[in-house]
């Protein structure tokens, strides 16, 4: 299958369509679903080097193996397989070859965890005969940026050029970071606003609990989550915490205006990506793009553009939680458990909303600055983020218990919080544990992480 036909369809005839597009994501509670995504680094087991796209043991070979063995459908760009799709799931490539699963919308975390487990088993069965492994960490612990090959996707070439104009760490974000995130639904505009505010304010707690990127180029980098730090100097126009989210009048229209005025990267036409980096979508709606004189955007152009914004929580037709480092398979189940527990039960959502009431934007910005360095030890309002994490996890546990979604042996979704609750109780993050290994049994080397923490 070729790349999607972006640009087709009727021109957008007004801002109201953009607002309606976001509003169309509304669903009754019984239709709410859980979509979990995660990325991981692919490496050669024999010498721990990065894997290029081409070659008998390249990224393309992994994609082809999955398609042949497990019935994935190929998505092709310029004659090359760049993604796979099957039953509502997608496998895509990040710029440096990070392998991403975008899971199907599922009813329970039990189903989500089963999906993740099955995906990792499929990946192992294809990667191991090729001499490849996969590692989940927030930042690549060993490779210098220059050593990482770029994947052959047209949009990445445009982003590569633009990133270097708007921040110092954008290329590191593209090539050397991996995350786990969950996508969740809302019932109404007011429900969306409440969930967005809670999740935006509590995203630093997730960053601390999942902190798992303490190494760069073979050495400790002084951070708990270097991935989170990278996002603070990537592109201020499209990252961080949009202040208006916490202002009176926040709703679909305010978010649409934010997206309208955020600089674009590209427009997709006739099988190619056209570089329009730096222009606003609002200008496009006025027919003002020099590259496409007089042409007006379609809803597929809008859908493309929305995916190029990277705030801590992103609103599309659902909410994306974006604050966590990738980690072990238990954490891939724990991230959706945390946010489903907080956002999908009304009592839990009210409690979380009460918890963040009165927090200022300045406090949130300070948390975003210091949590990547200090993790759970970061101070906040006379306490620490560790104290806050315990309180947040207690709310999430009650929310999951109230949902009452049991697996086949009668176990609640609360079970998926166990690793996070141990982290909060001990104050030892995944980053802390790896630093201890580095200074102890690993003898000052990071290479053992590829054996001990590979999927």
């Amino acid at each position: 299958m070729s790349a999607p036909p972006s640009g087709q369809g009727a021109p957008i005839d007004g801002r109201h369509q953009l607002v309606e597009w976001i509003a169309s994501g509304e669903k009754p509670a019984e239709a709410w679903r859980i979509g979990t995504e995660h990325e991981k680094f692919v490496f050669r087991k024999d010498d721990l080097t990065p894997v290029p796209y081409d070659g008998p043991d390249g990224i393309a070979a992994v994609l082809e193996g999955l398609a042949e063995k497990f019935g994935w459908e190929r998505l092709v760009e310029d004659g090359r397989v760049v993604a796979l799709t099957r039953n509502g799931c997608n496998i895509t490539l990040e710029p440096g070859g990070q392998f991403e699963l975008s899971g199907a919308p599922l009813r329970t975390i039990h189903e989500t965890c089963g999906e993740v487990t099955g995906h990792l088993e499929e990946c192992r069965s294809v990667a191991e005969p090729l001499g490849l492994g996969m590692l989940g960490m927030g930042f690549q612990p060993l490779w210098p940026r220059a050593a990482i090959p770029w994947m052959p996707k047209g949009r990445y070439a445009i982003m590569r050029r633009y990133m270097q104009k708007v921040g110092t760490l954008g290329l590191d974000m593209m090539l050397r970071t991996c995350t786990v995130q969950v996508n969740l639904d809302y019932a109404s505009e007011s429900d969306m606003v409440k969930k967005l505010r809670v999740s935006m304010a509590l995203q630093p707690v997730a960053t601390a609990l999942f902190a798992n990127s303490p190494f760069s180029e073979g050495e400790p980098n002084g951070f708990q989550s270097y991935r989170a730090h990278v996002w603070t100097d990537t592109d201020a126009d499209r990252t961080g915490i949009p202040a208006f989210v916490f202002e009176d009048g926040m709703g679909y229209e305010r978010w649409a205006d934010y997206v309208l005025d955020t600089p674009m990267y590209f427009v997709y036409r006739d099988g190619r990506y056209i570089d329009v980096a730096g222009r606003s979508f609002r200008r496009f709606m006025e027919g003002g793009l020099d590259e496409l004189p007089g042409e007006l955007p379609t809803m597929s152009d809008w859908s493309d553009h929305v995916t190029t914004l990277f705030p801590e929580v992103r609103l599309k037709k659902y909410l994306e939680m974006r604050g966590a480092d990738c980690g072990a398979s238990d954490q891939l189940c724990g991230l959706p458990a945390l946010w489903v527990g907080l956002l999908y039960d009304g009592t839990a959502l009210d409690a979380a909303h009460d918890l963040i009431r009165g927090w200022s934007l300045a406090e949130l910005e300070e948390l975003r600055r210091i949590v990547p360095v200090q993790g759970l030890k970061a101070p906040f309002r006379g306490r620490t983020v560790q104290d806050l994490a315990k309180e947040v996890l207690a709310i999430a546990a009650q929310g999951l218990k109230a949902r009452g979604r049991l697996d086949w042996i009668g176990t609640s979704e609360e079970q998926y919080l166990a690793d996070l609750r141990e982290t909060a109780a001990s104050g030892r993050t995944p980053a802390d544990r790896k630093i201890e290994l580095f200074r102890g049994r690993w003898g000052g080397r990071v290479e053992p992480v590829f054996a001990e923490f590979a999927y």
Side-chain angles (χ1 to χ4, degrees), residues 65-284:
L66 288 168
E68 289 291 335
K69 194 171 182 179
F70 298 107
W72 291 84
E73 183 178 3
R74 300 166 180 85
L75 299 176
V76 177
E77 180 182 320
D78 289 334
R80 295 180 162 201
V81 178
V82 295
L84 304 172
T85 187
R86 185 188 68 187
N87 300 331
C89 293
N90 295 297
I91 294 173
T92 56
L93 302 178
E94 291 298 296
Q98 303 98 310
F99 225 67
E100 178 175 6
L101 174 71
S102 297
L106 301 173
R107 292 176 179 270
T108 72
I109 302 163
H110 307 302
E111 294 175 6
T112 289
C113 208
E115 176 188 68
V116 167
T117 300
H119 167 72
L120 294 177
E121 289 175 353
E122 288 188 5
C123 286
R124 277 192 298 271
S125 74
V126 171
E128 286 182 355
L130 299 176
L132 305 178
M134 296 188 179
L135 174 70
M137 288 186 70
F139 193 83
Q140 169 50 235
L142 185 61
W143 306 332
R145 185 202 298 168
I148 301 175
W150 287 83
M151 295 298 104
K153 295 178 70 172
R155 63 187 290 167
Y156 293 157
I158 294 169
M159 292 173 65
R160 180 181 185 178
R161 291 191 293 269
Y162 186 71
M163 286 289 184
Q164 298 175 76
K165 301 176 182 178
V166 292
T168 66
L169 298 176
L171 297 187
D172 286 310
M173 179 278 290
M174 295 180 74
L175 294 172
R176 296 203 281 178
T177 63
C178 285
T179 186
V180 53
Q181 61 187 59
V182 63
N183 307 322
L184 299 175
D185 292 313
Y186 46 86
S188 63
E189 186 169 34
S190 60
D191 185 49
M192 179 280 292
V193 171
K194 192 172 187 178
K195 288 175 175 174
L196 181 60
R197 287 174 173 167
V198 165
S199 56
M200 196 76 80
L202 294 179
Q203 214 59 222
V205 176
T207 299
L209 285 168
F210 286 83
N212 190 29
S213 42
F215 305 118
S216 307
E217 300 184 26
E219 300 290 342
N221 54 32
F223 288 84
Q224 287 273 302
S225 174
Y226 191 66
R227 181 206 61 85
H229 171 69
V230 164
W231 277 109
T232 67
D233 192 6
T234 290
D235 181 350
D237 287 330
R238 69 186 73 242
T239 62
I241 304 171
F244 67 86
V245 166
F246 298 96
E247 295 173 358
D248 292 343
M250 169 57 195
Y252 298 143
E253 291 190 8
R254 292 291 299 276
W255 193 269
D257 286 336
Y258 164 57
V259 180
L260 273 170
D261 292 322
T262 298
M264 300 172 66
Y265 285 146
F266 59 81
V267 176
Y268 188 79
R269 289 291 183 275
D270 302 321
R272 66 188 183 95
Y273 289 92
I274 300 169
D275 188 345
V276 296
R279 284 34 148 229
S280 76
F281 201 91
R282 195 181 298 275
R283 181 175 172 183
F284 192 10

